[in-house]
Amino acid sequence: MIRLEQLHEWLEKANEKIQNNKEFLTQLDQAIGDGDHGINMSRGFKEAINKIRASTYHDIGSFFQDVSMVFIAKVGGASGPLYGTAFMKAAMALKGKSVLTIQELAFALKESVSGIKMRGNAQAGEKTMLDVWEPVVDYLASSGDSFPWQEVRRISLEQMEHTRQMEARKGRAAYLGSRSVGHLDPGSVSSAYLFEALAETMEGSEAT
Ligand code: ADP
Ligand code: MG
């Protein structure tokens, strides 16, 4: 079973990766956007961590709800509301729960993927964060309650890398058309950090 402390640890690890790679995310967004993705993600995760460190939770729904509110209220750009929606949908799916199976987490993250699609009016293949979210969550949802987390990390990085060859069809990068080809999508990179952090948290714990 996955406990609240592990979900907290997940976001702590994700925050570390985001803070360590803030400049890299900025550079990626300078190439095909406006250069604020590092700043947006750095602020969002820092504030989310401050919020969850300062509170005690018994309900996984309210934990994700708080994270969601930070991204929606404090983070600009396209990515703030999109990450905010993802955490909001997970919060709604997990309301009232204090422990989770991997399948329950996967189901909640499937709701997140639907939320991102709806909010961004996007689909996989358009060079956005969805190109990591959808395949990774599909893998989680299809894999039963025991599987190698190493594979989650591998798929995250592979799908992130896959955005390099795509032409952007959503967000600011879409203005560049075919000139967006050859660059990683910044949001797919921040999303890969999130799922790598999940894999590392679960690998290092008793949860299978
Ligand atoms: P902005 O594009 O407003 O400057 P950010 O730079 O923080 O915001 O985030 C850009 C990232 O947001 C992109 O790399 C992409 O992954 C994601 N993104 C942008 N638009 C959409 C959309 N419509 N649907 C899904 N993801 C999107
Ligand atoms: Mg930007």
Side-chain angles (χ1 to χ4, degrees), residues 29 33-37 40 77-79 172 186:
D29 198 34
D34 58 354
D36 63 352
H37 193 59
N40 288 338
S79 60
R172 288 177 198 280

Side-chain angles (χ1 to χ4, degrees), residues 191-206:
S191 301
Y193 294 150
L194 184 68
F195 289 110
E196 268 197 292
L198 177 65
E200 287 168 16
T201 305
M202 295 304 158
E203 246 170 16
S205 78
E206 292 299 300

Side-chain angles (χ1 to χ4, degrees), residues 29 32-38 40-41 75-80 82 116-117 119-123 126-130 170-173 185-188 191:
D29 198 34
I32 58 169
D34 58 354
D36 63 352
H37 193 59
N40 288 338
M41 290 297 98
V75 183
S79 60
L82 288 165
I116 295 171
K117 282 182 164 171
R119 176 91 202 194
N121 187 28
Q123 293 176 11
E126 296 182 316
K127 199 181 181 97
T128 71
M129 59 175 69
L130 264 177
K170 289 281 147 52
R172 288 177 198 280
D185 173 60
S188 77
S191 301

Side-chain angles (χ1 to χ4, degrees), residues 14-82:
N15 177 50
E16 267 171 42
K17 289 181 194 295
I18 294 286
Q19 304 308 338
N20 291 341
N21 292 284
K22 179 179 174 183
E23 288 311 316
F24 179 54
L25 292 172
T26 291
Q27 285 165 19
L28 293 173
D29 198 34
Q30 275 165 351
I32 58 169
D34 58 354
D36 63 352
H37 193 59
I39 294 162
N40 288 338
M41 290 297 98
S42 164
R43 178 183 307 130
F45 277 90
K46 181 165 166 275
E47 299 262 353
I49 289 300
N50 287 344
K51 176 74 194 165
I52 61 177
R53 279 184 189 166
S55 317
T56 308
Y57 298 97
H58 302 288
D59 175 351
I60 293 174
S62 27
F63 172 83
F64 280 123
Q65 173 77 20
D66 276 1
V67 173
S68 156
M69 291 316 292
V70 168
F71 277 89
I72 290 171
K74 305 218 164 145
V75 183
S79 60
L82 288 165

